[in-house]
Amino acid sequence: MNTKKIKSILSLCMLIVFITIGAQVKPTIYVLATGGTIAGTGKSSTTSAYKAGSISVEQLLDAVPDLATVANIKSEQIANIGSQDMNFQVWLKLVKRINELSKDPNINGFVITHGTDTQDETAYFLNLTAKTSKPIVLVGAMRPSTALSADGPRNLFNAVACAASPESIAKGVMVVMDDKIIGADDISKTNTLSVGSFDNPNFGPLGIMYNGKPIYTRTSKKKNTIDAEFDVTKLDKLPRVDIILGYVNTDKVFVDAALNAGAKGLVYAGVGNGNMSGEVLNALSQSVKKGIPVVRSSRLPAGPTCQWDEIDDDAHNFSASWYLTPQRSRILLMLALTKTTDYREIQRMFTEY
Ligand code: ASP
C-alpha cells in the first residue's frame, strides 16, 4: 500500500473516531410525540383552519436540523391526536414508557410533543408520576407546522436544548414555549391564539431559553417525580374525578350528576376563594358524608384557594387546593384516591404537591 493510501485511510479512521466521540459527548434526548398543533397542517399558510396531529414525529424532527447541534435524538410516536382528545390510556402509556426508558443510562432526557389545549394537565400528571430526575420537557406550538412563522420548530429546538442541559436535571417536569421554561405546577394556557399564550400566573417562570441554553432563575419548592408518592405502574385506569364550576345562581344539579355518573371525588371550581352557594355547599357536604372527597379550588386564574377562609373546611371535611388550578387539583385528587379517601391526608398532599 502506498503512503498516500495509508494517509487517506488514517484520516478516514480519525474522522470516524471524531464523529463517534462527538456523538458520545452529545446527550441523547428521547422525543415522545403525541400530536397537537405542533404536528398540525393546514391548507394555507395564512389562514387559521388546520388539523392537529397530522404529521409524524420523523417529519417534525426533520424540520429542525439544528437539533443535531445540541443532542442525539431518538424518537417514538406515542399517539397522534389533538390534545382535546388526550386521555388516561395515553397518559399511562406515556408515563410507563418514560419510566422504562429512564433506566437506560444512554438516555439523558425526554421531550414530549403535545397539543397546547391540555399540555398543563399532562405536564402535571407526569410531574407526579414519572420516576426519574432526568429532564422531562413538554413542548407544543400555537401555530400549525404549515403556518407562516410557525412557532413549533423554535419551541422544539428550545425544548430539546433544555432537556439536554445538565442544569435541567431534577427540576420537575417543565414546559418550554415561546422561550420560557415553566414548571408543571404553575403552567396555564392564557390565550386562545397568541404564541405567548403560556404563562405562570402565581410564581413566574423557572427561567428562559437563551441561545440554546437554559437560564434558570427559580426552582419549584413543590414535591415532584422521584419524591412523589404516587405509583401508576400497575394501574390501567384512574379514578373518576369531576370538576364543577361555580357561577351566579348555582344549584346542586351538577353535583348530583357527577355523583350519579360514578365520580369518586369532586373538585369545585368555586367563585373567589373557592366559595359556593348554600345549596352547593350542602350538596358537597353530603358528598363527603357518602365517602366522596371534595376539594375546593377557584375559577380565578391566580392566587391560592386557602383553608379556613369564608368556608370552614374542617367543619365539612373538605380539602383546599391552595395554588393548584381546578384541572391540576383533579389530577392530584385522582392520584390521591389511589391511596386514601381521608380528607386530612388529601389536604397534606395539596400542601406538598
Ligand atoms: N387543539 C390543539 C391541541 O391541543 C391546540 C394546540 O395544540 O395548540 O392539540
Side-chain angles (χ1 to χ4, degrees):
M1 213 185 292
N2 64 26
T3 342
K4 217 172 160 196
K5 257 194 180 158
I6 293 173
K7 271 189 178 167
S8 59
I9 290 172
L10 271 177
S11 7
L12 188 67
C13 287
M14 275 171 67
L15 187 67
I16 292 169
V17 169
F18 278 132
I19 291 173
T20 315
I21 291 173
Q24 273 167 0
V25 292
K26 260 193 291 173
T28 297
I29 299 302
Y30 209 101
V31 178
L32 295 151
T34 69
T37 295
I38 192 167
T41 53
K43 284 209 179 76
S44 147
S45 63
T46 52
T47 54
S48 61
Y50 72 98
K51 187 175 175 310
S54 303
I55 63 169
S56 68
V57 63
E58 289 82 16
Q59 289 168 291
L60 257 183
L61 296 169
D62 285 349
V64 196
D66 295 314
L67 292 177
T69 62
V70 285
N72 301 312
I73 305 288
K74 289 187 169 174
S75 65
E76 188 173 321
Q77 193 85 46
I78 290 285
N80 209 354
I81 52 178
S83 73
Q84 55 272 38
D85 282 322
M86 187 49 70
N87 54 65
F88 299 159
Q89 211 187 335
V90 178
W91 272 5
L92 291 169
K93 181 176 173 189
L94 185 60
V95 71
K96 286 177 189 178
R97 190 72 181 121
I98 291 171
N99 287 345
E100 183 185 328
L101 289 166
S102 64
K103 292 184 197 130
D104 181 344
N106 298 316
I107 294 172
N108 301 88
F110 300 91
V111 166
I112 296 145
T113 60
H114 198 288
T116 62
D117 289 350
T118 61
Q119 201 173 28
D120 59 330
E121 296 185 47
T122 300
Y124 193 61
F125 173 72
L126 294 176
N127 201 43
L128 301 181
T129 54
K131 296 284 170 229
T132 178
S133 54
K134 291 180 183 179
I136 300 175
V137 178
L138 276 83
V139 67
M142 292 298 292
R143 296 179 182 142
S145 64
T146 43
L148 197 61
S149 282
D151 51 334
R154 184 184 177 92
N155 287 345
L156 183 57
F157 175 77
N158 275 338
V160 169
C162 180
S165 166
E167 287 186 54
S168 300
I169 294 169
K171 291 271 194 292
V173 174
M174 298 176 281
V175 176
V176 167
M177 294 286 292
D178 195 34
D179 297 348
K180 282 188 271 189
I181 308 168
I182 306 177
D185 56 11
D186 192 30
I187 176 125
S188 287
K189 183 174 182 177
T190 63
N191 188 296
T192 52
L193 284 179
S194 163
V195 291
S197 173
F198 279 86
D199 213 345
N200 21 260
N202 289 298
F203 311 116
L206 300 178
I208 57 164
M209 288 304 296
Y210 185 67
N211 290 344
K213 294 212 163 37
I215 300 177
Y216 288 102
T217 49
R218 190 178 79 73
T219 45
S220 170
K221 298 272 187 291
K222 296 293 180 186
K223 278 165 107 178
N224 59 64
T225 56
I226 50 169
D227 295 322
E229 65 204 88
F230 309 107
D231 182 6
V232 294
T233 42
K234 295 201 177 71
L235 300 184
D236 55 12
K237 54 182 194 282
L238 294 165
R240 182 184 179 118
V241 171
D242 288 308
I243 301 174
I244 300 163
L245 182 68
Y247 42 81
V248 165
N249 211 52
T250 29
D251 57 22
K252 64 186 187 73
V253 165
F254 288 107
V255 176
D256 291 343
L259 296 178
N260 287 338
K264 300 284 179 278
L266 299 176
V267 171
Y268 196 71
V271 294
N273 201 336
N275 288 317
M276 58 198 69
S277 69
E279 182 170 330
V280 170
L281 179 65
N282 190 39
L284 291 178
S285 209
Q286 294 304 320
S287 162
V288 175
K289 285 190 183 117
K290 286 180 207 145
I292 310 295
V294 170
V295 171
R296 279 192 316 109
S297 189
S298 173
R299 67 178 191 173
L300 301 186
T305 301
C306 316
Q307 275 171 279
W308 323 294
D309 204 76
E310 278 187 72
I311 291 173
D312 179 358
D313 291 298
D314 287 330
H316 302 278
N317 294 3
F318 293 158
S319 310
S321 71
W322 289 101
Y323 283 99
L324 296 183
T325 56
Q327 301 95 289
R328 271 188 279 277
S329 299
R330 172 174 175 257
I331 294 162
L332 181 53
L333 183 54
M334 287 188 311
L335 294 171
L337 289 172
T338 63
K339 300 180 73 97
T340 184
T341 53
D342 184 290
Y343 86 99
R344 275 162 262 141
E345 257 301 275
I346 294 172
Q347 186 63 71
R348 174 190 63 76
M349 293 171 185
F350 274 84
T351 49
E352 290 181 3
Y353 292 96

